[in-house]
Amino acid sequence: MTGAPPILPGATVGVLGSGQLGRMFAIAARQMGYRVHTFSPDSDTPTGQVADLEVEASYDDLDAVRNFARGVSVVTFEFENVPAATAAAAAECTAVRPNGSVLHITQHRLREKTFLSTHGFPVTPFRPIRSIADVRLAVEELGCPAVLKTASFGYDGKGQNTIQSLAEAEAVLKTAGSFERVYEKFVDFEREVSVVAARGIDGSFAHWGVIDNTHHNHILDLSISPADVAPEVEREAINITRGILETLQVIGVLCVEFFLTKSGTLLVNELAPRPHNSGHLTIDSHVTSQFEEQLRAICGLPLGSTEQLRPAAMANLLGDLWAGGEPNWAAACAIPEVRLHLYGKAEARAGRKMGHLTALAPTPTDAARIVRTARQSLVG
Ligand code: AMP
């Protein structure tokens, strides 16, 4: 509980990071009458295009960070690889929500997994890897197949290798450098699901239920809400999520990504201490979106209702779709149940998240079918 008065519309909120998550946060903030400043090393960014002020400076320029923080009532982030020192410098000058320790834990896979297992949350069996000797022991103890992941700066499958033998694991360490890594048992999961949730300053909790996620090349491809899971799996996923937000004392939004095994067990794969790609559909399908909830939480306002208005599915639009020229936007817009979101990125590179489509329908299965058809129509 904090006695700080709420930060009300008309105030300025600051975002560290300037990608699409910051953009959708800024749109929600502007809708509620707030001003938005964004800070990142880039210019003409997805967030900067819709913000009142875009500061272009390095995260290591701590004077620039302090200056930025002095100009806003609260700082949040949309990118968890902001250095801990940056969050600390901002915290000298204004409120930072969620706090820097949430960032510190979740930006490093080993710290994150150690935090989770220490507090009794279920995780994939793992071992820390700092040397060839560690990798030999990990292969002996956990066996193969496995996934070797860099401890820092990994997302969307970056810095990951699937390992079938000790020789392969040793080769990765020799050729890709001796960074700190995590050796994780390969999970032959039935599906991947996530729970996006929010925690307010007063400890209140809200969630958008269980979302079903399909990945392609380690990048999220399709999300469906609600996920078709047994009620006890849903209860368990939400309980675990609530426990994680509570233990971390999050103020803001956090997403828990899970593997659901064939025997119905949930294992936490990863945490994201911010709105998440799988929650983008909440903009169109729920009373309050994950972005508005992030704003409400960090400003100390009551959380909004997360009631679902209609089943929904979201399909990511990656840069690959531009290979044959500009996608046919009119074709997707011709499907009445579909909404188009584009992030204002000038350069369409393969694998780059450029936008997404959301379809609303009477059932989740219908929504998934419609959103797939709509995405296909962009290049058909
Ligand atoms: P991550 O960057 O950890 O979220 O991994 C990206 C994707 O790689 C996940 O969503 C899974 O599809 C796959 N993956 C990661 N770790 C494992 C694992 N231990 N077993 C099986 N698949 C995995």
Side-chain angles (χ1 to χ4, degrees):
M1 228 13 215
T2 153
I7 297 162
L8 296 172
T12 304
V13 294
V15 190
L16 294 175
S18 60
Q20 63 269 16
L21 301 176
R23 179 186 182 92
M24 290 181 269
F25 168 79
I27 291 170
R30 286 191 143 214
Q31 187 170 300
M32 282 180 62
Y34 288 84
R35 291 181 178 275
V36 182
H37 293 181
T38 175
F39 183 109
S40 81
D42 304 312
S43 60
D44 190 29
T45 58
T47 311
Q49 289 166 14
V50 299
D52 296 272
L53 179 71
E54 179 175 52
V55 176
E56 183 186 347
S58 159
Y59 292 120
D60 299 323
D61 182 348
L62 299 185
D63 285 334
V65 172
R66 287 188 196 97
N67 214 21
F68 173 78
R70 277 185 212 107
V72 301
S73 298
V74 59
V75 165
T76 191
F77 40 85
E78 63 99 68
F79 168 64
E80 65 264 38
N81 288 325
V82 168
T86 308
E92 290 168 22
C93 306
T94 194
V96 175
R97 295 173 184 153
N99 68 54
S101 84
V102 176
L103 195 71
H104 182 69
I105 290 171
T106 55
Q107 69 189 191
H108 189 271
R109 284 188 200 276
L110 263 179
R111 279 200 290 271
E112 181 174 288
K113 285 188 181 293
T114 306
F115 159 81
L116 289 166
S117 56
T118 308
H119 288 88
F121 298 111
V123 289
T124 319
F126 71 98
R127 293 288 183 274
I129 303 293
R130 299 184 181 95
S131 65
I132 293 272
D134 288 344
V135 97
R136 287 188 188 134
L137 193 63
V139 171
E140 201 176 300
E141 290 181 352
L142 299 183
C144 293
V147 185
L148 201 48
K149 304 179 177 180
T150 51
S152 309
F153 294 107
Y155 59 93
D156 288 346
K158 292 186 175 71
Q160 281 193 29
N161 297 83
T162 307
I163 299 298
Q164 303 291 351
S165 65
L166 173 60
E168 272 185 33
E170 289 184 345
V172 169
L173 259 61
K174 281 184 189 138
T175 55
S178 55
F179 303 105
E180 199 173 25
R181 288 190 167 78
V182 182
Y183 186 91
E184 236 182 73
K185 204 173 165 61
F186 186 87
V187 181
D188 186 19
F189 53 78
E190 190 193 296
R191 60 221 289 202
E192 293 185 79
V193 297
S194 58
V195 176
V196 183
R199 186 172 173 278
I201 269 182
D202 58 356
S204 51
F205 176 76
H207 66 83
W208 288 266
V210 180
I211 300 170
D212 184 294
N213 301 316
T214 313
H215 293 77
H216 185 64
N217 292 334
H218 298 278
I219 303 178
L220 184 65
D221 183 53
L222 204 79
S223 291
I224 304 170
S225 164
D228 181 18
V229 292
E232 54 277 17
V233 169
E234 184 181 6
R235 262 198 308 278
E236 176 71 359
I238 291 163
N239 273 341
I240 292 170
T241 304
R242 188 198 299 262
I244 292 171
L245 271 84
E246 208 39 57
T247 310
L248 285 171
Q249 293 284 291
V250 170
I251 298 175
V253 168
L254 181 141
C255 173
V256 184
E257 293 181 63
F258 294 96
F259 296 133
L260 179 59
T261 68
K262 292 184 170 135
S263 58
T265 306
L266 286 161
L267 297 170
V268 177
N269 173 36
E270 228 191 347
L271 307 180
R274 48 161 174 81
H276 187 256
N277 197 165
S278 63
H280 290 358
L281 48 76
T282 62
I283 297 175
D284 299 307
S285 62
H286 289 71
V287 173
T288 309
S289 75
Q290 61 171 352
F291 299 103
E292 181 177 326
E293 210 74 299
Q294 178 187 22
L295 175 77
R296 285 172 177 245
I298 66 164
C299 288
L301 291 175
L303 298 182
S305 159
T306 50
E307 185 187 340
Q308 184 153 16
L309 301 169
R310 294 199 87 191
M314 185 256 5
N316 266 339
L317 305 178
L318 300 186
D320 314 57
L321 281 170
W322 275 249
E326 191 70 13
N328 183 356
W329 304 123
C333 291
I335 304 174
E337 301 90 343
V338 170
R339 309 210 57 209
L340 171 65
H341 299 255
L342 288 172
Y343 308 147
K345 298 182 184 178
E347 198 195 334
R349 291 191 298 271
R352 192 177 196 202
K353 291 174 181 171
M354 303 295 289
H356 69 268
L357 298 173
T358 309
L360 305 177
T363 69
T365 313
D366 288 340
R369 181 179 43 77
I370 295 167
V371 87
R372 278 200 186 92
T373 306
R375 183 167 59 185
Q376 193 52 44
S377 76
L378 294 173
V379 290

